[in-house]
Amino acid sequence: MIGPDRAAYTLPAEASGRMAVRLLPGQHVEFTLPAAANAITVRYSIPDAPTGGGSTAPLAVAANGRHLRTMTLTSRYGWLYNQYPFSNDPGAGLLHPDWWITECSCVPADTTPYPSIDTPFRPQHFYDEQRLLLGRTYRAGDRIRLTAPAGSSAAWTVIDLLDSELVAPPRIRLRAVNVLALGADPTGHRDAAPAIERAITLARLAKLPVYLPPGVYQVNRHIVVDDVTIEGAGSWYTLIKGHEVTLSEPAPDGSVHTGVGFYGRDAAEGGSHDVHLSGFAIEGDVRERIDTDQVNGIGGAFSDSTFDGLHIRHTKVGIWLDGPMRNVRITNTMIVDQIADGLNLHTGVTDSLVADTVIRNTGDDGLAMWSEGTGNARNTFAHNTVQSPVLANGIAIYGGTDNTVSDNLVADPVREGSALHVGSRFGAEPFTGTLSITDNTTVRAGTYELNWNIGLGAIWVYALDRDIDARIEVTGDAYLDSTYNAIMLVTEWSVKDLYSISDIHFRDVQVDGTGTSVLSARSAGAASFQNVDARNVGAVGVNNCGSFNFTPAGSEFGLTDLGGNDGGWLADWLLPNTITCDDRPPVVPPPPPAAW
């Protein structure tokens, strides 16, 4: 076993539950199936090549002692290094020597003598995952063994988790335009994009869906879709896979690469409408972060459209939608192993839903609504699972009107973010109306913020660009085993006397375990609390620094106790604005959560 450990840049911190199993050659780990299954997903890490670029290693899979198959693991899509936007070179010097770094508490370029910086510098994004159909259905109680063979080329193989699944048979569509009839190669050897585009054209004329039978279809560029339904046989059977391609010259949008992806028309051209994608997987070939590159699994603008039952991995962002656009439903989808965000509703997206979706191992926010330029409104993130974002937040809301985050589970964010984030930053439009954050659960959240040298809350509200003064209702959440605070409200230091956070209300919230306080207030403003119960709190219940002016009148942040706040964390002496500021309180790891 390795871990538990929540320190960034370590293998345990990026593992689910902050623990994993490390196998040396010849060792194995065995899982007992909790339910009938005919397919597994293995999340793993193996070493990078000495100069970067990845390595490969075998992993033998057996069921009930009988060998089934040997998987070939790769670290080609893992192992980033250095400062943002990161590098694939483990030996590279600092990308930004003019940035302050915590390792020397200095700006290296301005420091004499120049500090010694160890390489590889800040290794991260260690894990990848693979899926395997087992060929038959195994029962609950059957055993799946994963073995690093004795002759493995990998010095070690880390196994984080095994997902088991009972996959339905392939879906067959007879009344549809079959891409095979238009010349698509289902073996993945020849470019299938032209045949898929011919099928789309014919399907629109015939008013039929496009059907992608089981197979691997090579696509190395965007397929633009509008007013069409495309159905696969299921994400375990139909795979759209491509290589990243370097463009001969940068595209007008700044892209220097292209790759596999389904894209709507640009919003400036009216966007796409009535697009319905379901039942297939998209697998890219993205190994570096170039923010101008349009190498996302799904991109562009869509209205009155649905995406269901997809599996997206190894793209820059799984789904990045640029509005204005309205009424998109994204459901029952898995987005894993991304270089940047999992999913982002960007600029004027309205009346849309993301539900019953799993996001794991992203290189930026797992799920985000970003109201840049034009506000998002009336969107909902509901019943999603977001796990182990390597950087930033599980779920982030940047501005907008009347949006909802409900019934989500967010676990194990790694650094410079947290489970739930509300931010006036990145040029977002103001918050207006009511932001509803309801019945969510966070686990082992609240990361170390490298630039501030402090810990964050499981939920953190951050005012940088302007006040946050719209109504925010946080109701029914559970914050479990928070590394630092459960709740953090903070205004950026440089604008601490300009902006505030107010009209935020916490009700029927359970806090089970904090390394420091229940609430850390580092802002002017006010909040109310009703039926907020807390136990296993590592420091004073409220760490109230306000705007750090420490006036005789008390903190600039006021607390209103509406009753029912059990556990002693909101004592009378803290009200309404007693200064209790401890800038960096010691962390006391709490015991594991238990039934309330």
Side-chain angles (χ1 to χ4, degrees):
M1 296 293 295
I2 60 172
D5 191 345
R6 303 190 193 188
Y9 314 119
T10 65
L11 280 158
E14 291 190 18
S16 60
R18 315 291 185 151
M19 293 186 294
V21 174
R22 182 170 59 198
L23 306 179
L24 302 178
Q27 294 182 328
H28 69 265
V29 59
E30 194 167 81
F31 298 83
T32 300
L33 294 177
N38 59 6
I40 59 172
T41 299
V42 178
R43 188 170 189 249
Y44 66 89
S45 178
I46 59 173
D48 196 3
T51 58
S55 62
T56 59
L59 184 71
V61 181
N64 298 328
R66 178 175 174 271
H67 177 76
L68 296 180
R69 181 175 167 182
T70 298
M71 304 172 73
T72 300
L73 309 182
T74 180
S75 56
R76 178 183 176 91
Y77 300 99
W79 293 93
L80 296 176
Y81 307 90
N82 224 297
Q83 299 155 296
Y84 175 88
F86 317 116
S87 169
N88 299 112
D89 180 2
L94 294 178
L95 296 181
H96 303 283
D98 56 336
W99 288 5
W100 186 91
I101 60 172
T102 190
E103 286 80 358
C104 66
S105 296
C106 70
V107 176
D110 296 340
T111 302
T112 303
Y114 193 88
S116 176
I117 306 297
D118 293 336
T119 58
F121 183 63
R122 296 182 182 174
Q124 60 191 279
H125 217 290
F126 305 111
Y127 289 89
D128 200 4
E129 58 187 65
Q130 287 192 27
R131 304 196 297 171
L132 177 66
L133 288 167
L134 299 177
R136 52 159 285 195
T137 298
Y138 291 87
R139 299 172 297 180
D142 285 346
R143 294 168 290 107
I144 302 296
R145 177 177 291 191
L146 307 178
T147 301
S152 175
S153 55
W156 48 261
T157 300
V158 167
I159 303 297
D160 175 31
L161 59 79
L162 181 142
D163 287 337
S164 57
E165 186 173 344
L166 188 61
V167 178
R171 180 171 58 187
I172 298 173
R173 274 287 193 184
L174 298 179
R175 184 172 170 75
V177 176
N178 192 315
V179 296
L180 300 184
L182 279 297
D185 175 14
T187 69
H189 291 112
R190 291 184 292 110
D191 184 5
I196 294 173
E197 290 174 330
R198 289 193 296 270
I200 290 171
T201 299
L202 180 57
R204 293 183 63 184
L205 291 172
K207 300 188 184 306
L208 291 172
V210 172
Y211 177 57
L212 296 159
V216 178
Y217 300 89
Q218 182 189 145
V219 174
N220 304 311
R221 56 180 172 82
H222 300 170
I223 292 180
V224 178
V225 288
D226 189 11
D227 187 24
V228 67
T229 296
I230 303 176
E231 299 179 359
S235 71
W236 284 84
Y237 304 108
T238 300
L239 173 61
I240 315 298
K241 183 175 182 178
H243 306 291
E244 186 175 76
V245 177
T246 301
L247 299 175
S248 58
E249 59 183 44
D253 61 11
S255 295
V256 295
H257 299 95
T258 189
V260 59
F262 290 84
Y263 272 67
R265 300 186 186 281
D266 193 275
E269 301 171 357
S272 291
H273 298 76
D274 296 303
V275 174
H276 307 282
L277 308 178
S278 66
F280 57 88
I282 301 170
E283 184 175 332
D285 184 34
V286 179
R287 286 161 281 143
E288 59 184 341
R289 179 162 179 169
I290 301 175
D291 283 343
T292 55
D293 270 357
Q294 286 287 345
V295 286
N296 306 319
I298 297 176
F302 298 86
S303 292
D304 302 318
S305 297
T306 60
F307 310 140
D308 181 70
L310 304 177
H311 186 280
I312 305 173
R313 72 172 186 148
H314 294 165
T315 53
K316 186 183 79 175
V317 177
I319 300 175
W320 182 290
L321 304 181
D322 290 304
M325 49 182 277
R326 64 173 300 279
N327 189 28
V328 174
R329 299 289 186 267
I330 301 168
T331 52
N332 304 308
T333 287
M334 288 196 70
I335 300 173
V336 300
D337 303 328
Q338 300 295 309
I339 288 290
D341 299 31
L343 179 149
N344 197 308
L345 304 182
H346 176 236
T347 303
V349 180
T350 63
D351 304 299
S352 294
L353 170 72
V354 179
D356 300 304
T357 287
V358 174
I359 312 289
R360 184 160 60 207
N361 193 35
T362 58
D364 214 309
D365 293 330
L367 294 171
M369 302 183 199
W370 182 15
S371 296
E372 185 183 31
T374 304
N376 295 333
R378 301 176 301 280
N379 302 307
T380 299
F381 290 158
H383 296 278
N384 303 292
T385 298
V386 183
Q387 189 174 18
S388 301
V390 174
L391 172 69
N393 309 283
I395 298 176
I397 310 297
Y398 305 112
T401 302
D402 294 333
N403 294 304
T404 298
V405 177
S406 67
D407 299 280
N408 301 284
L409 171 62
V410 184
D412 299 314
V414 176
R415 66 181 181 89
E416 296 171 59
S418 199
L420 305 173
H421 178 49
V422 177
S424 64
R425 55 193 304 208
F426 304 128
E429 294 298 298
F431 287 96
T432 58
T434 299
L435 173 61
S436 298
I437 300 175
T438 306
D439 294 331
N440 303 284
T441 299
T442 73
V443 187
R444 295 174 297 274
T447 72
Y448 173 69
E449 218 300 336
L450 200 66
N451 301 300
W452 292 348
N453 194 26
I454 61 173
L456 302 178
I459 179 172
W460 70 298
V461 181
Y462 177 37
L464 171 61
D465 293 347
R466 54 171 57 87
D467 293 325
I468 297 179
D469 53 9
R471 187 173 181 85
I472 300 174
E473 296 182 350
V474 182
T475 307
D477 279 6
Y479 306 134
L480 309 181
D481 194 5
S482 301
T483 307
Y484 299 98
N485 316 285
I487 301 165
M488 172 175 271
L489 312 175
V490 58
T491 295
E492 175 67 31
W493 180 264
S494 61
V495 293
K496 67 183 180 66
D497 296 320
L498 296 176
Y499 302 141
S500 64
I501 298 168
S502 58
D503 204 8
I504 181 167
H505 308 275
F506 295 86
R507 179 167 54 88
D508 300 332
V509 171
Q510 292 183 334
V511 176
D512 193 348
T514 65
T516 56
S517 300
V518 174
L519 169 66
S520 175
R522 303 170 70 93
S523 173
S528 71
F529 301 87
Q530 183 178 14
N531 298 330
V532 176
D533 299 342
R535 64 186 181 188
N536 299 319
V537 177
V540 64
V542 178
N543 187 7
N544 195 342
C545 298
S547 297
F548 290 88
N549 295 311
F550 306 126
T551 70
S555 168
E556 299 87 348
F557 195 89
L559 314 174
T560 300
D561 182 353
L562 298 180
N565 298 298
D566 295 338
W569 72 274
L570 191 58
D572 289 343
W573 67 271
L574 294 168
L575 303 171
N577 63 334
T578 303
I579 295 171
T580 55
C581 188
D582 185 346
D583 196 28
R584 292 172 176 83
V587 176
V588 179
W596 202 268

